[in-house]
């Protein structure tokens, strides 16, 4: 079945991402207002540790999303690497889709259990350690609630991947918008009622539950998926084992990439809490959130068109891939520059007015701005390669992450560079290889250079369609 990305999907993708990220902006003033500096810094540690759930996912989310796209496009067989070519008029392979869904459900059951055990034991010990100067039982209760939220998000975390796989990107973001509005409302109300960190954690759990439940309902209502899946023959253990072997071939590489990204982005927050204290961690985490949000908004076209790019590769439609990729990468660059200027000129002064003790060193702002832009630029090209079922970049990502970690430790411990040292370490680690090699590889494969991208970009604007 043809995956169609409509204006509805594009618009709701923008709305979903903006609401999702704006909700973080919107909650920041309330968090800063109702939580003291140390408690706000601790919340950033919560978020960083919660991001470990991505590591327990170990690449299965994106891998299953891609394989659902291939099944939806009509491929007869899933390959460990690359994609079997599908006919342009091929129909959805529901038998293969059913096998993928069943395998996914079993895998996520075990992943969520392991993640919860890790967060509730090692994570709890770490939270108690870093908060020893302000620790009380409410902090522990808040952490337990947050860990439960992470567990639930993982346990039902595959339905949004299924929706993205069949091209229902607009639906996913519509649901995310609803869930985020609820989260913001609950967060503000519970903070006002004096629940502090516990209130923020409860709101996080409610967001996850609403998002996953609505995604599940939406997926099984598409084109009679439930009925068509039930018509197919029963899926046995051999089918699940076969699908797992195919998926695992690249999933563990995706997992390595997730670990690398975690080290490159989130471990620096944890290092900041260890060496510089919770107050500095709060400021560092805030700046990272701001520029990371701008990067996500700027690169959102890659997210919305990812399923159709995967289908285009399966059907070997190179011209379409060139147009989508060229338009998306130029839009990313333009929006990131504009958004970053807005953060520095508008958002930061507002936050400084609200919390005068926050310094917001201009050097730190510029370093983290450059890093988040470089990281997302790299990810745009990696995203294309992943869509072709070739995760050939996993080794270089891991190498860069290790370099980032080592340089961060050296700059913090021996050179006393503080947050500036973290920013320098992050940028150097990506400039070594990833930020230039993978873009060159993809551009060569798609027969693109800057001039060609610009022409494709203008062509899309003139045609008013991709």
């Amino acid at each position: 079945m043809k995956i169609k990305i409509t204006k509805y999907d594009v618009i709701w993708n923008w709305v979903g991402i903006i609401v999702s990220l704006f909700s973080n902006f919107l909650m920041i003033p309330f968090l800063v207002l109702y939580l003291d500096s140390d408690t706000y810094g601790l919340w950033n540690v919560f978020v960083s540790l919660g991001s470990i759930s991505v590591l327990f996912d170990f690449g299965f989310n994106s891998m299953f999303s891609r394989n659902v796209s291939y099944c939806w496009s009509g491929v007869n067989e899933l390959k460990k690497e690359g994609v079997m070519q599908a006919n342009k008029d091929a129909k959805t392979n529901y038998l293969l889709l059913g096998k993928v869904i069943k395998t996914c459900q079993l895998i996520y059951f075990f992943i969520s259990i392991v993640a919860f055990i890790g967060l509730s034991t090692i994570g709890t010990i770490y939270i108690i350690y870093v908060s020893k100067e302000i620790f009380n039982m409410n902090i522990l209760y808040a952490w337990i609630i947050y860990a439960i939220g992470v567990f639930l998000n993982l346990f039902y975390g595959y339905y949004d991947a299924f929706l993205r796989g069949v091209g229902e990107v607009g639906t996913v973001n519509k649901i995310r918008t609803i869930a985020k509005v609820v989260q913001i409302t609950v967060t503000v109300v519970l903070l006002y009622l004096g629940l502090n960190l516990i209130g923020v954690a409860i709101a996080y759990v409610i967001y996850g539950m609403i998002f996953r439940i609505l995604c599940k309902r939406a997926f099984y209502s598409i084109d009679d998926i439930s009925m068509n899946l039930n018509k197919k023959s029963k899926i046995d253990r051999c089918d699940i084992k076969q699908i797992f072997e195919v998926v695992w071939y690249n999933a563990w590489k995706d997992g390595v990439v997730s670990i690398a990204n975690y080290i490159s982005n989130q471990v620096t927050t944890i290092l900041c809490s260890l060496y510089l204290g919770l107050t500095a961690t709060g400021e560092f985490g805030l700046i990272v959130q701001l520029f990371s949000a701008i990067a996500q908004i700027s690169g959102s076209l890659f997210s919305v068109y990812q399923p159709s790019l995967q289908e285009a590769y399966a059907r070997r439609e190179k011209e379409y891939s060139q147009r989508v990729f060229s338009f998306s990468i130029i839009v990313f660059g333009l929006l990131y520059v504009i958004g970053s200027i807005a953060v520095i000129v508008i958002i930061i002064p507002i936050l400084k007015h609200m919390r005068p003790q926050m310094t917001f060193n201009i050097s730190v702002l510029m370093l983290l701005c450059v890093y988040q832009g470089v990281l997302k630029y790299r990810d745009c090209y990696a995203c294309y390669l992943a869509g072709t079922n070739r995760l050939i970049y996993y080794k270089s990502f891991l190498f860069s992450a290790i370099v980032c970690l080592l340089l961060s430790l050296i700059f913090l411990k021996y050179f006393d560079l503080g947050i500036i040292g973290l920013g320098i370490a992050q940028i150097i680690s990506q400039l070594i290889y990833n930020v230039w090699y993978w873009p060159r590889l993809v551009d060569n494969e798609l027969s693109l250079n800057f001039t060609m991208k610009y022409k494709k970009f203008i062509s899309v604007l003139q045609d008013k369609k991709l």
Side-chain angles (χ1 to χ4, degrees), residues 436-452:
W436 61 269
Y437 181 80
W438 302 115
R440 187 181 68 177
L441 179 72
V442 172
D443 284 348
N444 287 339
E445 182 173 305
L446 290 175
S447 304
L448 291 173
N449 53 38
F450 180 78
T451 303
M452 282 288 293

Side-chain angles (χ1 to χ4, degrees), residues 93-306:
N93 189 333
Y94 283 104
L95 177 59
L96 192 57
L97 180 61
K99 294 177 183 179
V100 169
I101 291 174
K102 187 64 176 179
T103 306
C104 181
Q105 290 171 334
L106 288 174
I107 288 173
Y108 270 89
F109 171 76
F110 291 107
I111 287 175
S112 58
I113 295 295
V114 173
F116 182 72
I117 291 173
L119 291 176
S120 60
T121 53
I122 299 173
T124 300
I125 294 171
Y126 182 78
I127 289 295
I128 293 173
Y129 173 75
V130 297
S131 65
K132 55 182 179 292
E133 295 182 1
I134 61 170
F135 182 78
N136 56 61
M137 289 306 295
N138 285 336
I139 289 176
L140 183 60
Y141 296 149
W143 170 247
I144 292 172
I145 293 170
Y146 186 80
I148 291 172
V150 172
F151 165 78
L152 293 173
N153 285 345
L154 266 177
F155 190 63
Y156 297 105
Y158 43 81
Y159 282 109
D160 65 318
F162 291 171
L163 283 171
R164 285 185 281 109
V166 299
E168 291 291 330
V169 182
T171 302
V172 172
N173 284 286
K174 188 175 183 179
I175 293 171
R176 181 175 284 112
T177 299
I178 295 170
K180 273 295 181 181
V181 170
V182 173
Q183 183 188 16
I184 294 170
T185 305
V186 174
T187 298
V188 173
V189 171
L190 294 183
L191 283 173
Y192 178 77
L193 293 175
L195 290 180
N196 295 327
L197 208 56
I198 290 178
V200 184
I202 290 173
Y204 171 77
V205 173
I206 292 174
Y207 160 77
M209 291 177 63
I210 292 174
F211 182 67
R212 304 305 171 186
I213 290 170
L214 293 181
C215 280
K216 179 180 179 180
R217 183 181 299 177
F219 177 72
Y220 284 112
S221 66
I222 299 171
D223 293 330
D224 298 319
I225 285 181
S226 183
M227 182 182 68
N228 285 312
L229 289 174
N230 290 332
K231 286 180 180 179
K232 301 303 175 181
S233 59
K234 186 177 180 181
I235 299 168
D236 56 30
R237 290 183 179 180
C238 292
D239 293 323
I240 294 174
K241 181 182 178 182
Q242 181 184 21
I243 295 296
F244 177 78
E245 289 175 351
V246 171
V247 171
W248 178 247
Y249 180 82
N250 268 332
W252 72 268
K253 298 175 185 176
D254 231 338
V256 170
V257 171
S258 297
I259 293 172
N261 287 336
Y262 183 82
I263 294 172
S264 298
N265 236 357
Q266 296 297 334
V267 167
T268 48
T269 302
I270 296 174
L271 288 177
C272 192
S273 67
L274 286 173
Y275 285 92
L276 304 177
L278 291 177
T279 300
T281 302
E283 185 173 329
F284 176 76
L286 176 57
I287 297 172
V288 170
Q289 285 180 52
L290 291 171
F291 287 114
S292 176
I294 297 301
Q296 288 186 55
I297 293 172
S298 303
S300 62
L301 280 181
F302 279 97
S303 301
V304 73
Y305 279 101
Q306 182 67 8

